[in-house]
Structure formats: structure tokens, C-alpha cells
């Protein structure tokens, strides 16, 4: 009884490995899909069931690939869509996320990045776990979720749980949005007292040009043709007569 | 020697004559306010053209701006600390309110309104011997700490050998590099582009734009004047004067509108909010700045004050005369009722 079962198991596994090969391109998507739990992979499941499952997984991967690009051009549309509301409701994207770390005190910095190449880590950060959430400077509603409404400061990555790469992108997007005027921020008060705006000092006012230029001469006298004094030339020639050819 | 003596005598007599002339003018001004207001006397007494910094003008503008402590000291987004509670007597509370008013007056200090700065293009030297020596410009800045930025020498050596003074934009960039001011950027933020300005105005954030402009630009630069003009135009177009009331920018906006002779919207807004005194002061400021206009001459001839000024303005100068007269009638009715009751 055990031997034929073992043989079928080996055959099944070989088949499964061969069918899962085309899906190796999308391992990240596989992991990000809602987990299809097949409780304790039954050993006596016929191979046809595996083929159907592989095909449906392939379709889901394709759909997920389309979903990746669906909000790429307009990432702010996702925050109004039904799937967003169903998944997050009114709470911010990072609420409820819990970092996995050893000991009671979490490390001062979150992980460097959740996605390396094609591989995604276990327990990805709130931004990496949802491919539809794209950090863009025009995606103001998303950026607002990461800014404290009371102090106006950006939340630290230890508070929200995002990886360092996404935190850096977030900071850059927030500064760009503030530059464009999409996000308000506190502006310091400028004092105007005791400053002289007459612009009469030489450094910023007009200096009169030197008389040589006003006459029409060049800047230095030797820029233009300089005819030597005949007497001086004669005297010099006389002193060096022995050396002249 | 004799010539000197005569020169001295002549000088003394001339100065005496000048003094006599001046005193005569003073007498003329004091005694008669002649009917022909377009004479030289009035022009001389106004100072030829009232400037923004004149005390009379500043006084009117501060009065019109108002002092709403709730708006001036509204909570801003900053680092939070736990609140402090103080137990005060009535007198101490009074004193605290007074000091708060002083602080508010400092915060409502109006930024300067200056004419646009003239571009700098002075050549200090033309050394053709250095032509082609390098492919880049060299900028030499005087980084002595204690001199004002407007007296700082910044010169540029071009690749063709000319040594010239740096232009205003180069000056601003370099002074920000060596002596950085808080929150001022080397490259002006993109919010000051036309499209972004329009978007921000649609969100009613005019005050933020003006504050950012104060931080970023110098008061006499062309960008500062352009952004301020765009903001004031948008406010006037939509009638959103309330956004700037009780801020430091209200005076500047009023001055811009008075110089452009487009105060109708503002007067209407003041009357809607039942600020009659402010409307009267605004009309008197208008007459001060444009003494040769019809309503100014009419008012000077009739020595009008209060609501009469408004009536004269409404008849002569305004395009929305109907509304102003209606509002005045309503105000008079209310005043009569309150005096009767």
C-alpha cells in the first residue's frame, strides 16, 4: 500500500514541477495573490486537477500583470476604487501592519527594501504589499496619509512600517508635491526691518564707465595701435647699435 | 575781498528772500483752501505723489486691515508640546491681551512695495588677453560677514575676458549659496509657474502663495511683483477679499487696487460686512492718491466727510454706484432706527 502511494506521489510531484515551470516568471504575483488554501495537498488527487489549477493560476497572474499597469498612469484613481475601500476602508494604508523582528524593541531602521529583483520578501511593507499603491507626487491623498495632521511632519518609517527604499521615495514625492503647491506646509515669518532698498551702493548701482571708454578708446591703451615715439626709438637704437643687425 | 563781501550779502539776501517766499506759501496754505484744487499748493501739500511708506497712508491701511486675534494666532502645524494653563486675575488677563495685541501688530507688519529693480550690466574691465583661457565663467563673491547683502560685491569673469558685475538673479543665487536663508531655495519652486498658481488659487490658498513669495524673492525683483500682481488680480476677479483680511498682505492688496483705480469690489465687500468706517477711510485714501479725479475734486470742494464721501464716490467714480447707494440707504435706516429706539 505504501509503495504504490509513494510512487504516485513521486509522479505527481514530477508533474507538478513540470507544470509550475511556466509560472516561475511570476513568483512574486503568486505570493501576492489571495492565498488559495488547498488543505494538506491530498496525495491521491488525480493529475488532471493539477492542470486545471495551474491554468487558473496562470490566468490570475496575467490579470494581476494587467492590474499592475491599470493604475500606472493615474495612481490616484486607485484610492477611489472599490477594491481600495474594501481592503482599507477609511483608515490609512499602513494601519494594522506589524513588523516582524526579534525582541521587544524594533530595530531603528526598517528593512532596506521588500522587493529585490523579482523576489518579494515575507511580510512586505504596506506600500510593497499592494502593487496598485504607487507613490507619485500628484497622488496627494496617499501622501497625506503619511503626514501627521497635527504637526505636519512626515511619519518615520518605524511608525508606518515602510521599507527604507519606499520611505525615501515618499520623502521625495512629498517635497515635489509641496514644491508644486499640491501639499500645504508651514511657511516661516519673514522680518522686514532695517533693510535699505535704495540700491545706491556701488555694488548694485551703476558705476560710471571710465573716461577712455566714453571717448571711444579701447580698455587698455595697448589694445589698439600704438605708434612709438620716433626720438625714443632712435635713442634706443643708438645705445644698442652694436647688437642690431 | 569786496567781491566776496558782495557775494556774501547777495547770498544772505537771497536766502532771506527764499524764506520770505516759503512763509508766504505757508500762509497761503493755512488761510485759504481755494476752490481751484488743481493748483500747485495742493500738490505740494500732498507731497507730489503719496508713497506706500507715508505715515498717513500706512495709518489708513493698518486701520482697514483690522486686527482679528483669532485669525492672527490661529493654530499652526508645528512640533506639539503639552499645553500650559495659567491662573490669572482680570488685570493680568487684560495685560496678556494687550501684549497679544502688540505681538499681533508685529505679525501684521506690511511687506515693502517697491518699484522693480533696474538690471545691472556694468563692465569693470575688458582683458582680451584672457580670451579663451577657460571654458567656464568664474564668479568672485565677497563673503565678509558683516556687510549688508546689497553692498556685497559679486563679479563674474567671462570666458572672453570681460569682468562684469553679476546680474540680480546671479546675485540672489550666490547670496543664498553662501548665506542661506531659511526655506529659500536656489531654484524658485514650481508653484510660481502660471498653471500651478491657477491651481493654488482655485484652492483658496492665496495667503500661502504670498507668504512663500515673501520667503523666496526679494521685494524689488520682477518675480515678486509678478506673483503679487497675479494674486491680487485673482482676488479682485472673484471678490475673495476676506481671505487676506487681518493678514500682513491686505495693505499691499489695497494699495495695488487703489493705484489701479479698481476699488469698487473692495468697497462693496466692506459695505456687505458693515464696515462703514473702513469704506470711508478707503475712499479718503483713494482721494489722497488720485487728487485730480472727479470725485476727489468734488469732495475737496464740499469738504465732505463720512457717508457723504461715499455718496460722492458712488456718483462720480464708481461703476457699481447702485449697490453702494442702496447699502448706504440701508445703513442710514438702521442708524435712524437705533437712534429712535
Amino acid at each position: 500500500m505504501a509503495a504504490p502511494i509513494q510512487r504516485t506521489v513521486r509522479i505527481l510531484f514530477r508533474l507538478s514541477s513540470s507544470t509550475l515551470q511556466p509560472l516561475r516568471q511570476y513568483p512574486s504575483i503568486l505570493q501576492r495573490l489571495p492565498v488559495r488554501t488547498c488543505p494538506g495537498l491530498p496525495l491521491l488527487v488525480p493529475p488532471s486537477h493539477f492542470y486545471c489549477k495551474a491554468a487558473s493560476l496562470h490566468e490570475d497572474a496575467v490579470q494581476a500583470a494587467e492590474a499592475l499597469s491599470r493604475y500606472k498612469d493615474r495612481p490616484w484613481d486607485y484610492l477611489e476604487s472599490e477594491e481600495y475601500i474594501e481592503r482599507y476602508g477609511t483608515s490609512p494604508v499602513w494601519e494594522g501592519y506589524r513588523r516582524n523582528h526579534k525582541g521587544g524593541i524594533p530595530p531603528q531602521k526598517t528593512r532596506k527594501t521588500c522587493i529585490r529583483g523579482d523576489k518579494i520578501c515575507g511580510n512586505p511593507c504596506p506600500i510593497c504589499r499592494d502593487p496598485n499603491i504607487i507613490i507619485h507626487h500628484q497622488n496627494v491623498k496617499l501622501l497625506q496619509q503619511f503626514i501627521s495632521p497635527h504637526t505636519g511632519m512626515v511619519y518615520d518609517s518605524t511608525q508606518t512600517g515602510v521599507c527604507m527604499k519606499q520611505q525615501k521615495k515618499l520623502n521625495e514625492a512629498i517635497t515635489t508635491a509641496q514644491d508644486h503647491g499640491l501639499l500645504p506646509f508651514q511657511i516661516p515669518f519673514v522680518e522686514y526691518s532695517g533693510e535699505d532698498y535704495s540700491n545706491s551702493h556701488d555694488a548694485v548701482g551703476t558705476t560710471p564707465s571710465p573716461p577712455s571708454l566714453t571717448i571711444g578708446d579701447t580698455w587698455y591703451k595697448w589694445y589698439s595701435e600704438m605708434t612709438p615715439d620716433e626720438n625714443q626709438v632712435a635713442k634706443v637704437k643708438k645705445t644698442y647699435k652694436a647688437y642690431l643687425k | 575781498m569786496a567781491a566776496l563781501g558782495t557775494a556774501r550779502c547777495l547770498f544772505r539776501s537771497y536766502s532771506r528772500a527764499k524764506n520770505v517766499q516759503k512763509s508766504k506759501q505757508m500762509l497761503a496754505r493755512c488761510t485759504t483752501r481755494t476752490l481751484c484744487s488743481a493748483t500747485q499748493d495742493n500738490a505740494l501739500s500732498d507731497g507730489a505723489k503719496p508713497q506706500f511708506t507715508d505715515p498717513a497712508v500706512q495709518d489708513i491701511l493698518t486701520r482697514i486691515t483690522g486686527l482679528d486675534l483669532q485669525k492672527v494666532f490661529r493654530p499652526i502645524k508645528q512640533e506639539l508640546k503639552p499645553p500650559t494653563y495659567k491662573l490669572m486675575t482680570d488685570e493680568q488677563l487684560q495685560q496678556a491681551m494687550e501684549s497679544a495685541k502688540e505681538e499681533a501688530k508685529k505679525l501684521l507688519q506690511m511687506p515693502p512695495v517697491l518699484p522693480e529693480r533696474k538690471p545691472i550690466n556694468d563692465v569693470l574691465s575688458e582683458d582680451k588677453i584672457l580670451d579663451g583661457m577657460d571654458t567656464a565663467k568664474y564668479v568672485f563673491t565677497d563673503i565678509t560677514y558683516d556687510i549688508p547683502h546689497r553692498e556685497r560685491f559679486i563679479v563674474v569673469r567671462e570666458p572672453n575676458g570681460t569682468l562684469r558685475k553679476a546680474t540680480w538673479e546671479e546675485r540672489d543665487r550666490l547670496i543664498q549659496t553662501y548665506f542661506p536663508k531659511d526655506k529659500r531655495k536656489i531654484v524658485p519652486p514650481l508653484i510660481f509657474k502660471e498653471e500651478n498658481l491657477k491651481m493654488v488659487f482655485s484652492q483658496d490658498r492665496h495667503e500661502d502663495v504670498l507668504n512663500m513669495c515673501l520667503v523666496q524673492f526679494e521685494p524689488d525683483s520682477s518675480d515678486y511683483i509678478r506673483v503679487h500682481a497675479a494674486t491680487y488680480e485673482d482676488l479682485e476677479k472673484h471678490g475673495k477679499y476676506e481671505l487676506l483680511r487681518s493678514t500682513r498682505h491686505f495693505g499691499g492688496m489695497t494699495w495695488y487696487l487703489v493705484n489701479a483705480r479698481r476699488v469698487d469690489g473692495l468697497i462693496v465687500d466692506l459695505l456687505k460686512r458693515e464696515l462703514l468706517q473702513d469704506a470711508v477711510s478707503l475712499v479718503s485714501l483713494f482721494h489722497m492718491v488720485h487728487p485730480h479725479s472727479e470725485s476727489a475734486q468734488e469732495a475737496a470742494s464740499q469738504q465732505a466727510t463720512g457717508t457723504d464721501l461715499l455718496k460722492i464716490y458712488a456718483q462720480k467714480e464708481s461703476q457699481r454706484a447702485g449697490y453702494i447707494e442702496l447699502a448706504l440707504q440701508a445703513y442710514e435706516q438702521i442708524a435712524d432706527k437705533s437712534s429712535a429706539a
Side-chain angles (χ1 to χ4, degrees), chain B residues 48-61:
Chain B
K49 176 102 171 94
Q51 297 297 314
F52 185 73
T53 43
D54 287 347
V57 172
Q58 286 285 308
D59 185 50
I60 294 178
L61 290 174

PDB file of all heavy atoms in Angstrom, chain B residues 48-61:
ATOM      1  N   ALA B  48       3.474 115.627  -3.786  1.00  0.00           N
ATOM      2  CA  ALA B  48       3.535 115.310  -5.222  1.00  0.00           C
ATOM      3  C   ALA B  48       2.874 113.975  -5.521  1.00  0.00           C
ATOM      4  O   ALA B  48       2.075 113.874  -6.426  1.00  0.00           O
ATOM      5  CB  ALA B  48       4.955 115.344  -5.749  1.00  0.00           C
ATOM      6  N   LYS B  49       3.210 112.884  -4.780  1.00  0.00           N
ATOM      7  CA  LYS B  49       2.525 111.609  -5.013  1.00  0.00           C
ATOM      8  C   LYS B  49       2.705 110.797  -3.743  1.00  0.00           C
ATOM      9  O   LYS B  49       3.824 110.487  -3.385  1.00  0.00           O
ATOM     10  CB  LYS B  49       3.171 110.917  -6.215  1.00  0.00           C
ATOM     11  CG  LYS B  49       2.612 109.560  -6.486  1.00  0.00           C
ATOM     12  CD  LYS B  49       1.641 109.544  -7.644  1.00  0.00           C
ATOM     13  CE  LYS B  49       1.297 108.116  -7.989  1.00  0.00           C
ATOM     14  NZ  LYS B  49       0.129 107.580  -7.375  1.00  0.00           N
ATOM     15  N   PRO B  50       1.619 110.494  -3.062  1.00  0.00           N
ATOM     16  CA  PRO B  50       1.798 109.760  -1.793  1.00  0.00           C
ATOM     17  C   PRO B  50       2.406 108.384  -2.038  1.00  0.00           C
ATOM     18  O   PRO B  50       1.972 107.655  -2.909  1.00  0.00           O
ATOM     19  CB  PRO B  50       0.366 109.654  -1.259  1.00  0.00           C
ATOM     20  CG  PRO B  50      -0.509 109.934  -2.389  1.00  0.00           C
ATOM     21  CD  PRO B  50       0.219 110.756  -3.354  1.00  0.00           C
ATOM     22  N   GLN B  51       3.417 108.067  -1.255  1.00  0.00           N
ATOM     23  CA  GLN B  51       4.091 106.779  -1.364  1.00  0.00           C
ATOM     24  C   GLN B  51       3.489 105.808  -0.378  1.00  0.00           C
ATOM     25  O   GLN B  51       2.785 106.195   0.546  1.00  0.00           O
ATOM     26  CB  GLN B  51       5.589 106.945  -1.069  1.00  0.00           C
ATOM     27  CG  GLN B  51       6.305 107.838  -2.040  1.00  0.00           C
ATOM     28  CD  GLN B  51       6.268 107.268  -3.433  1.00  0.00           C
ATOM     29  OE1 GLN B  51       6.522 106.082  -3.642  1.00  0.00           O
ATOM     30  NE2 GLN B  51       5.940 108.088  -4.396  1.00  0.00           N
ATOM     31  N   PHE B  52       3.844 104.530  -0.553  1.00  0.00           N
ATOM     32  CA  PHE B  52       3.342 103.480   0.328  1.00  0.00           C
ATOM     33  C   PHE B  52       3.827 103.694   1.753  1.00  0.00           C
ATOM     34  O   PHE B  52       3.146 103.359   2.722  1.00  0.00           O
ATOM     35  CB  PHE B  52       3.817 102.122  -0.203  1.00  0.00           C
ATOM     36  CG  PHE B  52       3.274 100.945   0.552  1.00  0.00           C
ATOM     37  CD1 PHE B  52       1.962 100.569   0.423  1.00  0.00           C
ATOM     38  CD2 PHE B  52       4.092 100.204   1.384  1.00  0.00           C
ATOM     39  CE1 PHE B  52       1.454  99.470   1.115  1.00  0.00           C
ATOM     40  CE2 PHE B  52       3.600  99.106   2.073  1.00  0.00           C
ATOM     41  CZ  PHE B  52       2.285  98.745   1.933  1.00  0.00           C
ATOM     42  N   THR B  53       5.028 104.269   1.908  1.00  0.00           N
ATOM     43  CA  THR B  53       5.628 104.376   3.230  1.00  0.00           C
ATOM     44  C   THR B  53       5.183 105.625   3.979  1.00  0.00           C
ATOM     45  O   THR B  53       5.589 105.819   5.114  1.00  0.00           O
ATOM     46  CB  THR B  53       7.163 104.419   3.106  1.00  0.00           C
ATOM     47  OG1 THR B  53       7.492 105.296   2.008  1.00  0.00           O
ATOM     48  CG2 THR B  53       7.717 103.051   2.791  1.00  0.00           C
ATOM     49  N   ASP B  54       4.335 106.479   3.355  1.00  0.00           N
ATOM     50  CA  ASP B  54       3.883 107.679   4.063  1.00  0.00           C
ATOM     51  C   ASP B  54       3.106 107.302   5.302  1.00  0.00           C
ATOM     52  O   ASP B  54       2.286 106.384   5.263  1.00  0.00           O
ATOM     53  CB  ASP B  54       2.974 108.521   3.152  1.00  0.00           C
ATOM     54  CG  ASP B  54       3.756 109.214   2.078  1.00  0.00           C
ATOM     55  OD1 ASP B  54       5.009 109.242   2.192  1.00  0.00           O
ATOM     56  OD2 ASP B  54       3.138 109.711   1.125  1.00  0.00           O
ATOM     57  N   PRO B  55       3.309 108.034   6.403  1.00  0.00           N
ATOM     58  CA  PRO B  55       2.615 107.656   7.650  1.00  0.00           C
ATOM     59  C   PRO B  55       1.097 107.690   7.521  1.00  0.00           C
ATOM     60  O   PRO B  55       0.407 106.832   8.075  1.00  0.00           O
ATOM     61  CB  PRO B  55       3.095 108.705   8.660  1.00  0.00           C
ATOM     62  CG  PRO B  55       4.231 109.391   8.050  1.00  0.00           C
ATOM     63  CD  PRO B  55       4.253 109.141   6.593  1.00  0.00           C
ATOM     64  N   ALA B  56       0.583 108.698   6.776  1.00  0.00           N
ATOM     65  CA  ALA B  56      -0.878 108.785   6.631  1.00  0.00           C
ATOM     66  C   ALA B  56      -1.424 107.554   5.922  1.00  0.00           C
ATOM     67  O   ALA B  56      -2.422 106.945   6.337  1.00  0.00           O
ATOM     68  CB  ALA B  56      -1.242 110.049   5.851  1.00  0.00           C
ATOM     69  N   VAL B  57      -0.735 107.197   4.846  1.00  0.00           N
ATOM     70  CA  VAL B  57      -1.167 106.024   4.056  1.00  0.00           C
ATOM     71  C   VAL B  57      -1.083 104.761   4.906  1.00  0.00           C
ATOM     72  O   VAL B  57      -2.020 103.942   4.944  1.00  0.00           O
ATOM     73  CB  VAL B  57      -0.287 105.898   2.793  1.00  0.00           C
ATOM     74  CG1 VAL B  57      -0.578 104.612   2.064  1.00  0.00           C
ATOM     75  CG2 VAL B  57      -0.486 107.083   1.882  1.00  0.00           C
ATOM     76  N   GLN B  58       0.035 104.597   5.613  1.00  0.00           N
ATOM     77  CA  GLN B  58       0.221 103.407   6.454  1.00  0.00           C
ATOM     78  C   GLN B  58      -0.848 103.334   7.530  1.00  0.00           C
ATOM     79  O   GLN B  58      -1.371 102.248   7.833  1.00  0.00           O
ATOM     80  CB  GLN B  58       1.605 103.447   7.115  1.00  0.00           C
ATOM     81  CG  GLN B  58       2.743 103.138   6.172  1.00  0.00           C
ATOM     82  CD  GLN B  58       2.818 101.663   5.866  1.00  0.00           C
ATOM     83  OE1 GLN B  58       2.840 100.824   6.742  1.00  0.00           O
ATOM     84  NE2 GLN B  58       2.820 101.327   4.596  1.00  0.00           N
ATOM     85  N   ASP B  59      -1.189 104.496   8.090  1.00  0.00           N
ATOM     86  CA  ASP B  59      -2.197 104.521   9.145  1.00  0.00           C
ATOM     87  C   ASP B  59      -3.537 104.011   8.618  1.00  0.00           C
ATOM     88  O   ASP B  59      -4.191 103.160   9.239  1.00  0.00           O
ATOM     89  CB  ASP B  59      -2.330 105.973   9.650  1.00  0.00           C
ATOM     90  CG  ASP B  59      -3.257 106.070  10.828  1.00  0.00           C
ATOM     91  OD1 ASP B  59      -3.066 105.281  11.778  1.00  0.00           O
ATOM     92  OD2 ASP B  59      -4.164 106.914  10.792  1.00  0.00           O
ATOM     93  N   ILE B  60      -3.923 104.530   7.433  1.00  0.00           N
ATOM     94  CA  ILE B  60      -5.199 104.101   6.848  1.00  0.00           C
ATOM     95  C   ILE B  60      -5.179 102.606   6.566  1.00  0.00           C
ATOM     96  O   ILE B  60      -6.135 101.875   6.854  1.00  0.00           O
ATOM     97  CB  ILE B  60      -5.506 104.895   5.564  1.00  0.00           C
ATOM     98  CG1 ILE B  60      -5.742 106.356   5.901  1.00  0.00           C
ATOM     99  CG2 ILE B  60      -6.701 104.313   4.840  1.00  0.00           C
ATOM    100  CD1 ILE B  60      -6.002 107.224   4.706  1.00  0.00           C
ATOM    101  N   LEU B  61      -4.062 102.139   6.005  1.00  0.00           N
ATOM    102  CA  LEU B  61      -4.002 100.719   5.610  1.00  0.00           C
ATOM    103  C   LEU B  61      -4.063  99.813   6.828  1.00  0.00           C
ATOM    104  O   LEU B  61      -4.732  98.771   6.812  1.00  0.00           O
ATOM    105  CB  LEU B  61      -2.735 100.457   4.790  1.00  0.00           C
ATOM    106  CG  LEU B  61      -2.730 101.068   3.395  1.00  0.00           C
ATOM    107  CD1 LEU B  61      -1.380 100.872   2.735  1.00  0.00           C
ATOM    108  CD2 LEU B  61      -3.803 100.452   2.523  1.00  0.00           C
TER     109      LEU B  61
END
